[in-house]
Amino acid sequence: MSKKLLLKDAHIEGIRYFETYRKQGGYTAAEKALKMTPEEILEEVKVSGLRGRGGAGFPTGMKWSFLAKPEGVPRHLVVNADESEPGTFKDRYLMEFLPHLLIEGMLISSYTLGSNVSYIYIRGEYSWIPDILEEAIEEAKAAGFLGKNILGTGFDCEIYVQRGGGAYICGEETALLESLEGKRGNPRLKPPFPAVKGLWERPTVVNNVESIAAIVPIIDITGAEYAKIGVGRSTGTKLISACGNINKPGVYEIDMTITVEEFIYSEEYCGGIKDGKRLKACIPGGSSVPIVPANLLLKTVNGEPRYMNYESLADGGFATGTMMGSGGFIVLDEDQCIVDHTMTLARFYNHESCGQCTPCREGTGWMYKILKKIEKGEGKMEDIDLLWDIQRKIEGNTICPLGDAAAWPVAAAIRHFRDEFEWHIKNPELSQTQNYGLAHY
Ligand code: SF4
């Protein structure tokens, strides 16, 4: 059984309220942290090996150490709660059931970074959660954990919740900052990076909800103890939101030492594939990471078990990068049609493109149209190569990662399931009435 750090108290009735959270030891990490220097806390975070839980997996301590500190210029912490990646809903769970864990993490992080005014930018569709967060902020303030001169330390901190307007692109940190400033959420060209010029051109750290919540147990048990959990550079615990054709969709906390097979089939987690069907593929880290066929998902190319951690999921057989991503684990059974699935994602990215860069604006729409044609049985064999060519020309040629996120699923689908694309083209009539999955498994 995986060790629980973030969700250990999630089952306790009333844990979302200050009184209950406090009874369970809440805010003791904040009390401990406020007796330390910001440098000591930063060192604990570095030692912990915590990697950003939003998708990129960049070391949090290192990110914090990049924050510029010009004399007399305010600095900000912004929590990225714009959780819009299809298949990802772990931050929603944390905010809904453990809002004080986030607030406590923000207090410690704000103190470390020197942010007297910090923000939570939350996706517009999470319409009921801002009220929960604002209530928790008021409770923390009433108890002296926010506001002026917190616990007599002289440190002031206010937290504000800002609702987004429902654009996926505002999860990209610079688009988020634009939106927070009241402008259209268009990603900025980098450099300068937010650590130097972020919110209102002030040094800013943007971190994911889960990353900031993880600061609480790091201070609680120390960075060194946190680093002992997990394996290699995948330290601590990770929240995974599991969905798709599984028996037990939900949010799970894992310690990154379990295998993918165990995660999918054990009763503690996904409980196996629904209706006893066979596993066809999985997207292990939210829709922006490539789809992985079952044979490569359960075992590495060397035949070793595949583990649920940053290194193992990045190792061989995949299109690119780490596949832990945002922790959105989407499982597809034998009946699912990869062309249909890829088309749905292409439509999503086309719809969410902000339109600033030509490869993304035009390429995502072009890919969607071709995929739609193939899925309807109206495609030609050369369309597959055309698709391949378009995604190659998008990847790496855009201002923000949405372009890559749109290209990778198409690349991976063609790389691993080309026969399925060909089947749709060779069988136009069957293509309209059934899918390759049903016909071939
Ligand atoms: Fe906008 Fe797409 Fe360019 Fe990102 S890659 S800036 S979403 S057009």
Side-chain angles (χ1 to χ4, degrees), residues 29-47 60-62 64-67 69 75 106-116 153-156 215 218-219:
E31 288 171 319
K32 181 178 173 185
L34 291 178
K35 289 184 190 134
M36 298 163 71
T37 64
E39 292 74 24
E40 285 169 338
I41 300 172
L42 176 60
E43 192 52 32
E44 288 296 322
V45 176
K46 280 185 179 168
V47 168
T60 304
M62 197 183 292
W64 286 11
S65 63
F66 292 154
L67 186 69
K69 294 179 179 149
R75 305 188 281 274
M106 284 185 75
L107 167 59
I108 299 169
S109 308
S110 299
Y111 171 71
T112 311
L113 300 167
S115 168
N116 299 116
T153 58
F155 176 64
D156 304 337
I215 300 300
I218 287 171
I219 295 302

Side-chain angles (χ1 to χ4, degrees), residues 169 187 353-357 360 398-400 402-403:
I169 193 57
S353 166
C354 83
Q356 279 193 103
C357 346
C360 173
T398 56
I399 294 173
C400 89
L402 189 142

Side-chain angles (χ1 to χ4, degrees), residues 64 67 77 87 132-133 172 231 269 284 292 296 326 329 341 356:
W64 286 11
L67 186 69
L77 166 70
I132 296 172
L133 293 172
E172 194 280 332
V231 60
Y269 304 108
V292 186
L296 279 175
S326 59
F329 197 86
H341 171 83
Q356 279 193 103

